[in-house]
Amino acid sequence: MNKQGLELIVITGLSGAGRTQAMQSLEDQGFFCVDNLPPTFLVKFAELCAQSRGKVSKAAIVCDLRGGEFFSSLSEALNNLEKEGFRLEVLFLDASDETLIRRYKESRRRHPLSPQGRVLDGIQAERQQLEELRIRADNIIDTTNLSAQQLRSQVAELFCKTQGLGQMAVSVISFGFKYGIPMDADLVMDVRFLPNPFYVEALRPFTGEHESVREYVFGNQMAREFMEKYLDLLEYILPNYIKEGKTHLVIGIGCTGGQHRSVAIAERVGSFLIERDYSIRVTHRDATKNQKRGKTR
């Protein structure tokens, strides 16, 4: 039985947060996937995969509240898997209450923990039940601002072992503090101390991806010194995260509205890490929100 040769991923998280899309992404990568497997069968399932003589080397299991009373035994089942010598990763999918409520309304489905009541009550009860699993998760993805395709892409990037010369995947996200810190951020850098292009009328409509905005941001000596120190810090700490077994790191770069400074800094960080062979994904969560609302900040 080749237990160490089996790559095993357990997908869990809040109802409506995107478990199905995550599983489909792993299926596309050649994982053997099982949806809604009762946790009591996890060890047996893993043993059958390990005994398949290499026919099943990658497997993913979705475990969620649809398992009813069986779901409460998931933490115990995960502990048993580790005791039996299997290597596994737990992927936890999360999203804001507002996003989950909207998705339930669009799908017209009832929440499993509140079939006759308010969706919000079910979401809050589910959060309490899943808190222990969220704490022990190896990877957490906040799907609040992700489309289905973006989620599938992020999962593929997270578990595709051929990218980045075996390095962990790094997501660099620019954001605006006025819209909240990304829920899944591991590291958060506040760059609101830098001069703000918002107060230059000619630059106000653009984002930090525009050359003139970048020149303004990095034309400041303080910004250049900050970048040098911050990139040195990242170059030092990222290899140590890898040594500790981390497979996905989310770096959040925030300014007031997420349009100018954070975008320019995030792009520079992404370029720096690409040069060092990390698997990088740079996204600008809030860069166009102010423009859509008829405001700029």
Side-chain angles (χ1 to χ4, degrees), residues 48-62:
L48 291 173
C49 291
Q51 293 170 355
S52 68
R53 298 182 180 179
K55 293 181 181 179
V56 179
S57 60
K58 302 189 295 183
I61 307 102
V62 177

Side-chain angles (χ1 to χ4, degrees), residues 191-195 217-229 265:
V191 297
R192 288 177 292 184
F193 65 90
L194 297 175
V217 172
F218 296 112
N220 182 280
Q221 178 64 27
M222 179 170 54
R224 293 194 296 271
E225 291 178 355
F226 160 73
M227 283 306 307
E228 181 179 354
K229 296 178 185 297
I265 298 296

